[in-house]
Amino acid sequence: MPGDAASLKILNERIVACDRCSRLRQHCAEVARVRRCAYADWEYWGKPVPSFGDEKARVLALGLAPGAHGSNRTGRPFTGDGSGDFLFPVLHEAGFASLPTAISRNDGMKLKDLWIASVVRCAPPANKPTPEEQRNCAPWLGQEMALLKDLRVVVCLGRIAFDGLLANMQRNGILPARSGFVFAHGAEYTLPGGLKVIASYHPSLQNTNTGKLTRPMFLAVFKQARKLAGL
Ligand code: SF4
């Protein structure tokens, strides 16, 4: 991995070119080659998915990894799958997203005060990255957070994102120990240095179709993020 990037744009370019995890790169390319019938006419992205949003964001929404036929197809986080169909209407209502639906990376969507990233940037088989793949991808998040100069709040979408953020903070010497940090929907923490963290269930179909995560619950998380960010 090259040295620290000078800007979020350069960082995104480096992420797209990353090939540290051969299993994931092969999987993304294979999914892009075979495609799902419903998307037979799409030219899949099939590469690491760059982050997306407002470079002056005070809030970071941190997901797990791209979906095989969602952002691995469209090339933008949470764009074109069931998780995104649940997330973007909430972001729109909370004032972070210009549009309530995300279809493609050319749909005109603009984010305000929000940056969206994930702890793993390539779609993993069965949505399960290995611990080694998570470690491989972690330096991108560290660099990204250093470049988000106005960042005040991180919303962790799911336990893996929550654990990934805390591991990153420990590695970078910001967090001495993780004891006391327990994942629970709506739980709030303040890291040394003042960064606020909100834990949320991930907007996966598994959670949203079963009612484990409802729209009011999810909206409350992003409204709280606005409040904690001073927006
Ligand atoms: S998961 Fe991350 S580290 Fe691994 S190849 Fe993709 S971008 Fe690179």
Side-chain angles (χ1 to χ4, degrees):
M1 201 171 284
D4 288 357
S7 70
L8 288 160
K9 184 170 178 291
I10 292 170
L11 184 73
N12 265 343
E13 288 168 1
R14 291 184 181 173
I15 289 170
V16 171
C18 180
D19 60 3
R20 286 194 93 183
C21 309
S22 54
R23 182 184 84 114
L24 298 189
R25 297 297 299 109
Q26 282 167 17
H27 179 68
C28 292
E30 182 62 8
V31 170
R33 187 185 70 75
V34 175
R35 303 174 198 181
R36 182 176 275 174
C37 284
Y39 304 122
D41 294 339
W42 272 78
E43 187 170 336
Y44 274 51
W45 179 255
K47 293 175 281 193
V49 175
S51 302
F52 169 61
D54 179 354
E55 296 197 356
K56 292 189 166 40
R58 292 189 188 184
V59 179
L60 166 64
L62 187 62
L64 163 58
H69 300 280
S71 35
N72 185 56
R73 172 172 60 89
T74 61
R76 198 175 68 188
F78 287 101
T79 298
D81 63 15
S83 298
D85 290 347
F86 194 84
L87 172 67
F88 276 100
V90 166
L91 294 181
H92 182 63
E93 189 173 344
F96 288 112
S98 64
L99 299 170
T101 51
I103 299 160
S104 77
R105 62 184 187 281
N106 302 315
D107 60 10
M109 176 75 75
K110 296 263 184 296
L111 299 185
K112 175 103 173 69
D113 300 310
L114 182 74
W115 187 257
I116 304 180
S118 55
V119 288
V120 172
R121 320 278 169 147
C122 293
N127 285 326
K128 288 201 175 88
T130 65
E132 185 190 359
E133 288 160 351
Q134 292 178 51
R135 280 194 300 276
N136 284 349
C137 216
W140 294 128
L141 178 61
Q143 286 195 46
E144 194 162 40
M145 290 178 69
L147 288 165
L148 288 165
K149 302 288 185 204
D150 300 305
L151 186 61
R152 298 190 188 182
V153 179
V154 182
V155 177
C156 294
L157 302 174
R159 188 185 297 272
I160 292 177
F162 183 72
D163 288 343
L165 175 74
L166 296 180
N168 223 296
M169 290 292 155
Q170 262 193 303
R171 252 193 316 273
N172 294 337
I174 294 163
L175 186 65
R178 283 159 66 178
S179 54
F181 289 84
V182 179
F183 180 83
H185 182 80
E188 284 179 37
Y189 298 97
T190 304
L191 298 178
L195 186 69
K196 307 277 185 192
V197 179
I198 307 177
S200 168
Y201 291 140
H202 189 280
S204 64
L205 292 178
Q206 200 180 357
N207 287 337
T208 57
N209 281 348
T210 56
K212 184 173 180 182
L213 178 64
T214 64
R215 182 173 167 140
M217 286 166 70
F218 209 34
L219 184 59
V221 163
F222 282 97
K223 285 189 169 172
Q224 181 65 1
R226 283 199 84 86
K227 193 170 146 199
L228 293 179
L231 295 167

